[in-house]
Amino acid sequence: MTRNQLRRLVLDNGLRVLLAPNPTGASIGVAVHYGVGFRTEPGGHTGLAHLFEHLMVQGGHGAPPGGYLPQVQRAGGLADAKTRQDLTVYYAAAPASALEMLLGLEADRMRSPRISPRNLRTQTAVIDEEIRLMVRNRPYGAFPWVLPRALHSRAENARDGYGESVDLAALDIPLCERFFHDHYSPGNALVTLTGAFDPDEAQRLVRRCFAPLPGRPVVAAPDAPEPEPRAEARLSVTDPHAGLPAVAVGYRMPDPVTERADYLAHLVLAALLGQGRHALLRRGPAAPAGVTSLSVGCGLFGLPLDTAGPDLLTLFAVHGSGVGDDGANADGGRVTDALDAVLTTLAENEVDPRLLRATTARWASGALRELGDPSTRAQLLGSREMLFGEAELTERLPELVRDQVTGEQVSRAAARLRASHRAVVRFVPRTTATAGATATAAAQGKAVA
């Protein structure tokens, strides 16, 4: 896709619009991105961006009874939202006939969402339950949030998307209204349309729905540059819900703008390490024994080019329950040793060309399949446009990875990781941790209460 195949439009109120028509099919995707995420939250108010996502999903004051979602579902569509480091996106997929309705609903909540004491109490309780189910009471629920905290020094870069319960409890209506005023203006938003629509008709509908919204000054997101870590960080987390030990490893990714070629090589390196049946850490002599689950990916949420800020390449492995004499997770050490050995081999010897071709082809094929869904395509186009001004990068990325990443670049990426300071976090089941502490205390002649 070239810039000429996309239509870009900027309304007088500052709203940006991206039109990506596809004459085949009968469905559309709509995504509305706002330039605010959990890295943007004001200090002391963690969780506000995610909470506001929940409030916006309730719809605007002009929405019909029942709110936003039932209206979309009655039209045969699906809708959801998500909060990321730098962005919050609201997206939907529906039959092409629902385009005008979807645009009207999005404009309505961009004008004035339903922020009420009841909605605030309800959605705060919903998020508290999410935290309980997804983090506190879920095996390995601290992954991946614990890795940025170990590797990053700036508070903005170390936050998790849920926020702290004490901060959530302190949020009130005036603060939410101020957050809306500062970050949900048309000038801080991008509307992306994909799928089966006529561009001229869509442009007319966009103007009719969104042009009447008043513009407001855009509050710039804080700049939070992250210095490179100066030492390896090692942490141990006792997990009462884990049945087996696990280890998580995080590395800083190259900058996706100033180091684009290196960034793409890291995507391929992650795939070589842990993605697919022939991944180097899954089978063969380099694969660590006793691993029951392994994932390697780029991006906090496993999606590349998902933030303009510092991001991570992560490995997460669940493995056997060996415990050393000092209570340390012995099998976790075998995982990191195997990782280091593979990185050293790749740094010193270019990857086999056949394996490289198979890996990049599989990666590109998966990325292309994602673009077949109009909602996913709208989200990805809008994200790359908001973050980098390059919506076309979404369409070009499979080709760039498949045809331009070389074995030499992958070797450089492996050498970079091998020499970099990383975070290593071990997840220790409570019973294992207790047994390890008992063994250590007994060896030292101490009692454990």
Side-chain angles (χ1 to χ4, degrees), residues 47-95:
L48 180 54
H50 182 217
L51 172 65
F52 211 85
E53 171 208 314
H54 280 244
L55 294 175
M56 286 283 285
V57 166
Q58 306 309 302
H61 282 286
Y68 170 84
L69 287 175
Q71 184 82 349
V72 176
Q73 291 165 350
R74 282 194 291 271
L78 301 170
D80 208 340
K82 58 189 178 186
T83 305
R84 293 295 190 249
Q85 293 101 310
D86 306 299
L87 301 172
T88 305
V89 56
Y90 304 85
Y91 54 93

mmCIF file of all heavy atoms in Angstrom, residues 47-95:
data_model
loop_
_atom_site.group_PDB
_atom_site.id
_atom_site.type_symbol
_atom_site.label_atom_id
_atom_site.label_comp_id
_atom_site.label_asym_id
_atom_site.label_seq_id
_atom_site.Cartn_x
_atom_site.Cartn_y
_atom_site.Cartn_z
ATOM 1 N N GLY A 47 -3.711 3.838 36.506
ATOM 2 C CA GLY A 47 -4.961 3.156 36.185
ATOM 3 C C GLY A 47 -6.009 4.057 35.577
ATOM 4 O O GLY A 47 -7.056 3.578 35.131
ATOM 5 N N LEU A 48 -5.749 5.367 35.518
ATOM 6 C CA LEU A 48 -6.759 6.290 35.019
ATOM 7 C C LEU A 48 -7.046 6.063 33.533
ATOM 8 O O LEU A 48 -8.209 6.133 33.107
ATOM 9 C CB LEU A 48 -6.308 7.738 35.268
ATOM 10 C CG LEU A 48 -7.249 8.852 34.804
ATOM 11 C CD1 LEU A 48 -8.646 8.670 35.380
ATOM 12 C CD2 LEU A 48 -6.675 10.223 35.178
ATOM 13 N N ALA A 49 -6.017 5.815 32.732
ATOM 14 C CA ALA A 49 -6.242 5.616 31.299
ATOM 15 C C ALA A 49 -7.115 4.382 31.051
ATOM 16 O O ALA A 49 -8.034 4.414 30.224
ATOM 17 C CB ALA A 49 -4.906 5.483 30.573
ATOM 18 N N HIS A 50 -6.836 3.294 31.757
ATOM 19 C CA HIS A 50 -7.629 2.078 31.593
ATOM 20 C C HIS A 50 -9.045 2.279 32.126
ATOM 21 O O HIS A 50 -10.025 1.825 31.514
ATOM 22 C CB HIS A 50 -6.939 0.926 32.321
ATOM 23 C CG HIS A 50 -7.646 -0.381 32.190
ATOM 24 N ND1 HIS A 50 -7.707 -1.294 33.211
ATOM 25 C CD2 HIS A 50 -8.326 -0.944 31.161
ATOM 26 C CE1 HIS A 50 -8.390 -2.354 32.817
ATOM 27 N NE2 HIS A 50 -8.779 -2.170 31.580
ATOM 28 N N LEU A 51 -9.172 2.950 33.263
ATOM 29 C CA LEU A 51 -10.507 3.243 33.781
ATOM 30 C C LEU A 51 -11.304 4.066 32.778
ATOM 31 O O LEU A 51 -12.496 3.802 32.548
ATOM 32 C CB LEU A 51 -10.405 3.990 35.112
ATOM 33 C CG LEU A 51 -11.727 4.534 35.661
ATOM 34 C CD1 LEU A 51 -12.678 3.397 36.025
ATOM 35 C CD2 LEU A 51 -11.497 5.425 36.873
ATOM 36 N N PHE A 52 -10.629 5.038 32.167
ATOM 37 C CA PHE A 52 -11.370 5.871 31.227
ATOM 38 C C PHE A 52 -11.809 5.089 29.999
ATOM 39 O O PHE A 52 -12.865 5.366 29.425
ATOM 40 C CB PHE A 52 -10.541 7.096 30.817
ATOM 41 C CG PHE A 52 -11.401 8.272 30.516
ATOM 42 C CD1 PHE A 52 -11.830 9.109 31.536
ATOM 43 C CD2 PHE A 52 -11.847 8.511 29.228
ATOM 44 C CE1 PHE A 52 -12.671 10.168 31.265
ATOM 45 C CE2 PHE A 52 -12.679 9.570 28.946
ATOM 46 C CZ PHE A 52 -13.095 10.415 29.971
ATOM 47 N N GLU A 53 -11.003 4.122 29.602
ATOM 48 C CA GLU A 53 -11.442 3.225 28.526
ATOM 49 C C GLU A 53 -12.777 2.585 28.893
ATOM 50 O O GLU A 53 -13.715 2.529 28.085
ATOM 51 C CB GLU A 53 -10.385 2.161 28.284
ATOM 52 C CG GLU A 53 -10.823 1.053 27.349
ATOM 53 C CD GLU A 53 -10.112 -0.263 27.619
ATOM 54 O OE1 GLU A 53 -8.888 -0.254 27.783
ATOM 55 O OE2 GLU A 53 -10.795 -1.306 27.669
ATOM 56 N N HIS A 54 -12.891 2.093 30.134
ATOM 57 C CA HIS A 54 -14.133 1.464 30.581
ATOM 58 C C HIS A 54 -15.291 2.466 30.573
ATOM 59 O O HIS A 54 -16.420 2.117 30.203
ATOM 60 C CB HIS A 54 -13.952 0.894 31.989
ATOM 61 C CG HIS A 54 -13.259 -0.420 32.018
ATOM 62 N ND1 HIS A 54 -13.862 -1.582 32.459
ATOM 63 C CD2 HIS A 54 -12.002 -0.785 31.666
ATOM 64 C CE1 HIS A 54 -13.011 -2.591 32.369
ATOM 65 N NE2 HIS A 54 -11.871 -2.132 31.908
ATOM 66 N N LEU A 55 -15.033 3.688 30.990
ATOM 67 C CA LEU A 55 -16.092 4.700 31.003
ATOM 68 C C LEU A 55 -16.548 5.024 29.578
ATOM 69 O O LEU A 55 -17.752 5.162 29.318
ATOM 70 C CB LEU A 55 -15.596 5.971 31.700
ATOM 71 C CG LEU A 55 -15.305 5.844 33.191
ATOM 72 C CD1 LEU A 55 -14.696 7.143 33.723
ATOM 73 C CD2 LEU A 55 -16.577 5.512 33.977
ATOM 74 N N MET A 56 -15.610 5.125 28.648
ATOM 75 C CA MET A 56 -15.972 5.454 27.268
ATOM 76 C C MET A 56 -16.769 4.338 26.608
ATOM 77 O O MET A 56 -17.625 4.594 25.745
ATOM 78 C CB MET A 56 -14.704 5.737 26.463
ATOM 79 C CG MET A 56 -14.035 7.062 26.762
ATOM 80 S SD MET A 56 -14.884 8.486 26.011
ATOM 81 C CE MET A 56 -14.395 8.318 24.290
ATOM 82 N N VAL A 57 -16.491 3.090 26.992
ATOM 83 C CA VAL A 57 -17.219 1.969 26.398
ATOM 84 C C VAL A 57 -18.709 2.038 26.737
ATOM 85 O O VAL A 57 -19.542 1.479 26.013
ATOM 86 C CB VAL A 57 -16.590 0.623 26.851
ATOM 87 C CG1 VAL A 57 -17.488 -0.558 26.541
ATOM 88 C CG2 VAL A 57 -15.234 0.436 26.176
ATOM 89 N N GLN A 58 -19.048 2.740 27.805
ATOM 90 C CA GLN A 58 -20.474 2.894 28.140
ATOM 91 C C GLN A 58 -21.212 3.749 27.126
ATOM 92 O O GLN A 58 -22.439 3.749 27.069
ATOM 93 C CB GLN A 58 -20.624 3.510 29.539
ATOM 94 C CG GLN A 58 -19.882 2.777 30.643
ATOM 95 C CD GLN A 58 -20.176 1.295 30.644
ATOM 96 O OE1 GLN A 58 -21.332 0.877 30.759
ATOM 97 N NE2 GLN A 58 -19.123 0.490 30.508
ATOM 98 N N GLY A 59 -20.463 4.497 26.311
ATOM 99 C CA GLY A 59 -21.075 5.324 25.279
ATOM 100 C C GLY A 59 -21.227 6.766 25.705
ATOM 101 O O GLY A 59 -20.876 7.154 26.823
ATOM 102 N N GLY A 60 -21.734 7.577 24.792
ATOM 103 C CA GLY A 60 -21.955 8.992 25.058
ATOM 104 C C GLY A 60 -23.360 9.265 25.551
ATOM 105 O O GLY A 60 -24.201 8.365 25.624
ATOM 106 N N HIS A 61 -23.619 10.529 25.859
ATOM 107 C CA HIS A 61 -24.939 10.904 26.381
ATOM 108 C C HIS A 61 -26.038 10.711 25.347
ATOM 109 O O HIS A 61 -27.207 10.554 25.707
ATOM 110 C CB HIS A 61 -24.910 12.352 26.854
ATOM 111 C CG HIS A 61 -24.252 12.525 28.187
ATOM 112 N ND1 HIS A 61 -24.843 12.151 29.372
ATOM 113 C CD2 HIS A 61 -23.037 13.023 28.518
ATOM 114 C CE1 HIS A 61 -24.032 12.420 30.385
ATOM 115 N NE2 HIS A 61 -22.927 12.943 29.895
ATOM 116 N N GLY A 62 -25.686 10.722 24.069
ATOM 117 C CA GLY A 62 -26.703 10.544 23.038
ATOM 118 C C GLY A 62 -26.947 9.110 22.633
ATOM 119 O O GLY A 62 -27.770 8.847 21.756
ATOM 120 N N ALA A 63 -26.227 8.169 23.257
ATOM 121 C CA ALA A 63 -26.404 6.755 22.911
ATOM 122 C C ALA A 63 -27.787 6.278 23.340
ATOM 123 O O ALA A 63 -28.354 6.778 24.316
ATOM 124 C CB ALA A 63 -25.331 5.914 23.589
ATOM 125 N N PRO A 64 -28.332 5.301 22.630
ATOM 126 C CA PRO A 64 -29.669 4.793 22.994
ATOM 127 C C PRO A 64 -29.612 4.048 24.320
ATOM 128 O O PRO A 64 -28.539 3.732 24.831
ATOM 129 C CB PRO A 64 -29.986 3.842 21.839
ATOM 130 C CG PRO A 64 -28.667 3.433 21.302
ATOM 131 C CD PRO A 64 -27.769 4.621 21.464
ATOM 132 N N PRO A 65 -30.780 3.756 24.899
ATOM 133 C CA PRO A 65 -30.813 3.002 26.160
ATOM 134 C C PRO A 65 -30.048 1.684 26.026
ATOM 135 O O PRO A 65 -30.145 0.991 25.026
ATOM 136 C CB PRO A 65 -32.310 2.753 26.371
ATOM 137 C CG PRO A 65 -32.986 3.875 25.652
ATOM 138 C CD PRO A 65 -32.131 4.162 24.453
ATOM 139 N N GLY A 66 -29.264 1.371 27.050
ATOM 140 C CA GLY A 66 -28.424 0.181 27.004
ATOM 141 C C GLY A 66 -26.995 0.490 26.653
ATOM 142 O O GLY A 66 -26.112 -0.339 26.867
ATOM 143 N N GLY A 67 -26.746 1.688 26.073
ATOM 144 C CA GLY A 67 -25.382 2.092 25.807
ATOM 145 C C GLY A 67 -24.880 1.693 24.441
ATOM 146 O O GLY A 67 -25.637 1.321 23.534
ATOM 147 N N TYR A 68 -23.570 1.748 24.287
ATOM 148 C CA TYR A 68 -22.897 1.604 23.004
ATOM 149 C C TYR A 68 -22.915 0.164 22.478
ATOM 150 O O TYR A 68 -23.325 -0.097 21.349
ATOM 151 C CB TYR A 68 -21.462 2.109 23.163
ATOM 152 C CG TYR A 68 -20.548 1.816 22.010
ATOM 153 C CD1 TYR A 68 -20.518 2.638 20.898
ATOM 154 C CD2 TYR A 68 -19.690 0.713 22.036
ATOM 155 C CE1 TYR A 68 -19.662 2.375 19.828
ATOM 156 C CE2 TYR A 68 -18.839 0.439 20.981
ATOM 157 C CZ TYR A 68 -18.829 1.274 19.882
ATOM 158 O OH TYR A 68 -17.994 1.000 18.838
ATOM 159 N N LEU A 69 -22.461 -0.785 23.299
ATOM 160 C CA LEU A 69 -22.259 -2.154 22.816
ATOM 161 C C LEU A 69 -23.534 -2.832 22.308
ATOM 162 O O LEU A 69 -23.520 -3.459 21.246
ATOM 163 C CB LEU A 69 -21.603 -3.008 23.905
ATOM 164 C CG LEU A 69 -20.119 -2.720 24.157
ATOM 165 C CD1 LEU A 69 -19.616 -3.531 25.346
ATOM 166 C CD2 LEU A 69 -19.288 -3.051 22.926
ATOM 167 N N PRO A 70 -24.661 -2.751 23.041
ATOM 168 C CA PRO A 70 -25.875 -3.405 22.520
ATOM 169 C C PRO A 70 -26.285 -2.879 21.151
ATOM 170 O O PRO A 70 -26.772 -3.644 20.313
ATOM 171 C CB PRO A 70 -26.927 -3.089 23.589
ATOM 172 C CG PRO A 70 -26.145 -2.878 24.835
ATOM 173 C CD PRO A 70 -24.889 -2.206 24.392
ATOM 174 N N GLN A 71 -26.091 -1.593 20.914
ATOM 175 C CA GLN A 71 -26.442 -1.026 19.618
ATOM 176 C C GLN A 71 -25.586 -1.627 18.505
ATOM 177 O O GLN A 71 -26.083 -1.980 17.433
ATOM 178 C CB GLN A 71 -26.249 0.493 19.661
ATOM 179 C CG GLN A 71 -26.675 1.223 18.402
ATOM 180 C CD GLN A 71 -28.163 1.477 18.336
ATOM 181 O OE1 GLN A 71 -28.927 0.927 19.144
ATOM 182 N NE2 GLN A 71 -28.590 2.299 17.397
ATOM 183 N N VAL A 72 -24.299 -1.776 18.752
ATOM 184 C CA VAL A 72 -23.411 -2.380 17.754
ATOM 185 C C VAL A 72 -23.779 -3.840 17.532
ATOM 186 O O VAL A 72 -23.822 -4.324 16.394
ATOM 187 C CB VAL A 72 -21.945 -2.248 18.205
ATOM 188 C CG1 VAL A 72 -21.015 -2.970 17.224
ATOM 189 C CG2 VAL A 72 -21.545 -0.785 18.335
ATOM 190 N N GLN A 73 -24.067 -4.555 18.593
ATOM 191 C CA GLN A 73 -24.397 -5.969 18.471
ATOM 192 C C GLN A 73 -25.706 -6.181 17.716
ATOM 193 O O GLN A 73 -25.834 -7.125 16.926
ATOM 194 C CB GLN A 73 -24.457 -6.595 19.860
ATOM 195 C CG GLN A 73 -23.093 -6.678 20.540
ATOM 196 C CD GLN A 73 -23.182 -6.944 22.023
ATOM 197 O OE1 GLN A 73 -24.273 -6.892 22.615
ATOM 198 N NE2 GLN A 73 -22.044 -7.220 22.646
ATOM 199 N N ARG A 74 -26.676 -5.311 17.935
ATOM 200 C CA ARG A 74 -27.946 -5.436 17.208
ATOM 201 C C ARG A 74 -27.759 -5.231 15.710
ATOM 202 O O ARG A 74 -28.558 -5.737 14.904
ATOM 203 C CB ARG A 74 -28.970 -4.446 17.761
ATOM 204 C CG ARG A 74 -29.610 -4.883 19.077
ATOM 205 C CD ARG A 74 -30.837 -4.047 19.399
ATOM 206 N NE ARG A 74 -30.482 -2.686 19.726
ATOM 207 C CZ ARG A 74 -30.195 -2.245 20.962
ATOM 208 N NH1 ARG A 74 -30.226 -3.105 21.975
ATOM 209 N NH2 ARG A 74 -29.887 -0.990 21.173
ATOM 210 N N ALA A 75 -26.723 -4.487 15.335
ATOM 211 C CA ALA A 75 -26.444 -4.268 13.908
ATOM 212 C C ALA A 75 -25.603 -5.389 13.314
ATOM 213 O O ALA A 75 -25.215 -5.312 12.145
ATOM 214 C CB ALA A 75 -25.734 -2.928 13.729
ATOM 215 N N GLY A 76 -25.307 -6.422 14.126
ATOM 216 C CA GLY A 76 -24.518 -7.539 13.633
ATOM 217 C C GLY A 76 -23.024 -7.355 13.773
ATOM 218 O O GLY A 76 -22.251 -8.065 13.121
ATOM 219 N N GLY A 77 -22.609 -6.424 14.647
ATOM 220 C CA GLY A 77 -21.195 -6.132 14.789
ATOM 221 C C GLY A 77 -20.627 -6.546 16.133
ATOM 222 O O GLY A 77 -21.343 -6.996 17.030
ATOM 223 N N LEU A 78 -19.328 -6.384 16.254
ATOM 224 C CA LEU A 78 -18.584 -6.638 17.481
ATOM 225 C C LEU A 78 -17.749 -5.409 17.784
ATOM 226 O O LEU A 78 -17.260 -4.735 16.873
ATOM 227 C CB LEU A 78 -17.673 -7.863 17.330
ATOM 228 C CG LEU A 78 -18.346 -9.200 16.992
ATOM 229 C CD1 LEU A 78 -17.275 -10.238 16.642
ATOM 230 C CD2 LEU A 78 -19.192 -9.692 18.151
ATOM 231 N N ALA A 79 -17.543 -5.129 19.058
ATOM 232 C CA ALA A 79 -16.763 -3.958 19.428
ATOM 233 C C ALA A 79 -16.034 -4.204 20.731
ATOM 234 O O ALA A 79 -16.466 -5.003 21.570
ATOM 235 C CB ALA A 79 -17.667 -2.724 19.562
ATOM 236 N N ASP A 80 -14.912 -3.521 20.901
ATOM 237 C CA ASP A 80 -14.133 -3.627 22.130
ATOM 238 C C ASP A 80 -13.195 -2.431 22.194
ATOM 239 O O ASP A 80 -13.221 -1.544 21.325
ATOM 240 C CB ASP A 80 -13.354 -4.943 22.165
ATOM 241 C CG ASP A 80 -13.103 -5.433 23.588
ATOM 242 O OD1 ASP A 80 -13.188 -4.614 24.524
ATOM 243 O OD2 ASP A 80 -12.807 -6.637 23.766
ATOM 244 N N ALA A 81 -12.325 -2.431 23.200
ATOM 245 C CA ALA A 81 -11.354 -1.349 23.368
ATOM 246 C C ALA A 81 -10.152 -1.890 24.118
ATOM 247 O O ALA A 81 -10.227 -2.933 24.775
ATOM 248 C CB ALA A 81 -11.974 -0.180 24.135
ATOM 249 N N LYS A 82 -9.019 -1.199 24.039
ATOM 250 C CA LYS A 82 -7.828 -1.592 24.786
ATOM 251 C C LYS A 82 -6.953 -0.374 25.036
ATOM 252 O O LYS A 82 -6.947 0.587 24.256
ATOM 253 C CB LYS A 82 -7.048 -2.677 24.042
ATOM 254 C CG LYS A 82 -6.604 -2.305 22.647
ATOM 255 C CD LYS A 82 -6.034 -3.533 21.944
ATOM 256 C CE LYS A 82 -5.618 -3.211 20.513
ATOM 257 N NZ LYS A 82 -5.190 -4.426 19.777
ATOM 258 N N THR A 83 -6.238 -0.433 26.140
ATOM 259 C CA THR A 83 -5.322 0.627 26.536
ATOM 260 C C THR A 83 -3.903 0.109 26.416
ATOM 261 O O THR A 83 -3.588 -0.988 26.894
ATOM 262 C CB THR A 83 -5.592 1.064 27.989
ATOM 263 O OG1 THR A 83 -6.966 1.429 28.119
ATOM 264 C CG2 THR A 83 -4.729 2.255 28.366
ATOM 265 N N ARG A 84 -3.063 0.909 25.789
ATOM 266 C CA ARG A 84 -1.664 0.562 25.609
ATOM 267 C C ARG A 84 -0.795 1.649 26.243
ATOM 268 O O ARG A 84 -1.295 2.578 26.862
ATOM 269 C CB ARG A 84 -1.334 0.406 24.121
ATOM 270 C CG ARG A 84 -2.032 -0.795 23.480
ATOM 271 C CD ARG A 84 -1.521 -2.093 24.094
ATOM 272 N NE ARG A 84 -1.971 -3.271 23.390
ATOM 273 C CZ ARG A 84 -2.831 -4.138 23.871
ATOM 274 N NH1 ARG A 84 -3.388 -3.940 25.063
ATOM 275 N NH2 ARG A 84 -3.157 -5.222 23.189
ATOM 276 N N GLN A 85 0.526 1.532 26.085
ATOM 277 C CA GLN A 85 1.419 2.490 26.713
ATOM 278 C C GLN A 85 1.124 3.919 26.271
ATOM 279 O O GLN A 85 1.057 4.835 27.098
ATOM 280 C CB GLN A 85 2.883 2.160 26.399
ATOM 281 C CG GLN A 85 3.380 0.860 27.012
ATOM 282 C CD GLN A 85 3.418 -0.265 26.009
ATOM 283 O OE1 GLN A 85 2.431 -0.497 25.307
ATOM 284 N NE2 GLN A 85 4.539 -0.963 25.940
ATOM 285 N N ASP A 86 0.951 4.144 24.966
ATOM 286 C CA ASP A 86 0.825 5.497 24.433
ATOM 287 C C ASP A 86 -0.538 5.780 23.820
ATOM 288 O O ASP A 86 -0.813 6.921 23.454
ATOM 289 C CB ASP A 86 1.897 5.741 23.358
ATOM 290 C CG ASP A 86 3.291 5.453 23.864
ATOM 291 O OD1 ASP A 86 3.710 6.113 24.824
ATOM 292 O OD2 ASP A 86 3.959 4.558 23.306
ATOM 293 N N LEU A 87 -1.364 4.762 23.669
ATOM 294 C CA LEU A 87 -2.618 4.906 22.945
ATOM 295 C C LEU A 87 -3.752 4.202 23.673
ATOM 296 O O LEU A 87 -3.539 3.236 24.395
ATOM 297 C CB LEU A 87 -2.518 4.294 21.544
ATOM 298 C CG LEU A 87 -1.460 4.838 20.580
ATOM 299 C CD1 LEU A 87 -1.400 3.963 19.340
ATOM 300 C CD2 LEU A 87 -1.775 6.277 20.206
ATOM 301 N N THR A 88 -4.972 4.693 23.441
ATOM 302 C CA THR A 88 -6.183 3.947 23.769
ATOM 303 C C THR A 88 -6.996 3.861 22.491
ATOM 304 O O THR A 88 -7.188 4.871 21.803
ATOM 305 C CB THR A 88 -6.997 4.639 24.864
ATOM 306 O OG1 THR A 88 -6.169 4.850 26.014
ATOM 307 C CG2 THR A 88 -8.191 3.791 25.266
ATOM 308 N N VAL A 89 -7.449 2.659 22.148
ATOM 309 C CA VAL A 89 -8.145 2.465 20.886
ATOM 310 C C VAL A 89 -9.494 1.817 21.136
ATOM 311 O O VAL A 89 -9.627 0.888 21.938
ATOM 312 C CB VAL A 89 -7.303 1.626 19.899
ATOM 313 C CG1 VAL A 89 -6.897 0.281 20.506
ATOM 314 C CG2 VAL A 89 -8.056 1.387 18.596
ATOM 315 N N TYR A 90 -10.505 2.319 20.438
ATOM 316 C CA TYR A 90 -11.864 1.782 20.458
ATOM 317 C C TYR A 90 -12.146 1.284 19.040
ATOM 318 O O TYR A 90 -11.992 2.032 18.070
ATOM 319 C CB TYR A 90 -12.857 2.867 20.867
ATOM 320 C CG TYR A 90 -12.496 3.477 22.199
ATOM 321 C CD1 TYR A 90 -11.569 4.526 22.275
ATOM 322 C CD2 TYR A 90 -13.035 2.990 23.383
ATOM 323 C CE1 TYR A 90 -11.210 5.066 23.507
ATOM 324 C CE2 TYR A 90 -12.673 3.525 24.607
ATOM 325 C CZ TYR A 90 -11.755 4.564 24.664
ATOM 326 O OH TYR A 90 -11.385 5.093 25.880
ATOM 327 N N TYR A 91 -12.557 0.027 18.910
ATOM 328 C CA TYR A 91 -12.637 -0.554 17.576
ATOM 329 C C TYR A 91 -13.894 -1.405 17.438
ATOM 330 O O TYR A 91 -14.460 -1.896 18.422
ATOM 331 C CB TYR A 91 -11.400 -1.386 17.266
ATOM 332 C CG TYR A 91 -11.078 -2.465 18.277
ATOM 333 C CD1 TYR A 91 -11.539 -3.777 18.114
ATOM 334 C CD2 TYR A 91 -10.308 -2.190 19.400
ATOM 335 C CE1 TYR A 91 -11.246 -4.768 19.032
ATOM 336 C CE2 TYR A 91 -10.001 -3.175 20.330
ATOM 337 C CZ TYR A 91 -10.464 -4.454 20.141
ATOM 338 O OH TYR A 91 -10.168 -5.426 21.062
ATOM 339 N N ALA A 92 -14.319 -1.558 16.198
ATOM 340 C CA ALA A 92 -15.517 -2.341 15.904
ATOM 341 C C ALA A 92 -15.408 -2.918 14.507
ATOM 342 O O ALA A 92 -14.720 -2.367 13.635
ATOM 343 C CB ALA A 92 -16.772 -1.474 16.020
ATOM 344 N N ALA A 93 -16.086 -4.028 14.295
ATOM 345 C CA ALA A 93 -16.275 -4.618 12.973
ATOM 346 C C ALA A 93 -17.762 -4.876 12.804
ATOM 347 O O ALA A 93 -18.436 -5.328 13.744
ATOM 348 C CB ALA A 93 -15.485 -5.911 12.825
ATOM 349 N N ALA A 94 -18.288 -4.568 11.624
ATOM 350 C CA ALA A 94 -19.732 -4.686 11.419
ATOM 351 C C ALA A 94 -20.009 -4.773 9.925
ATOM 352 O O ALA A 94 -19.131 -4.498 9.094
ATOM 353 C CB ALA A 94 -20.455 -3.483 12.029
ATOM 354 N N PRO A 95 -21.235 -5.142 9.550
ATOM 355 C CA PRO A 95 -21.608 -5.062 8.138
ATOM 356 C C PRO A 95 -21.449 -3.636 7.619
ATOM 357 O O PRO A 95 -21.582 -2.661 8.382
ATOM 358 C CB PRO A 95 -23.074 -5.495 8.137
ATOM 359 C CG PRO A 95 -23.226 -6.319 9.370
ATOM 360 C CD PRO A 95 -22.308 -5.720 10.375
#
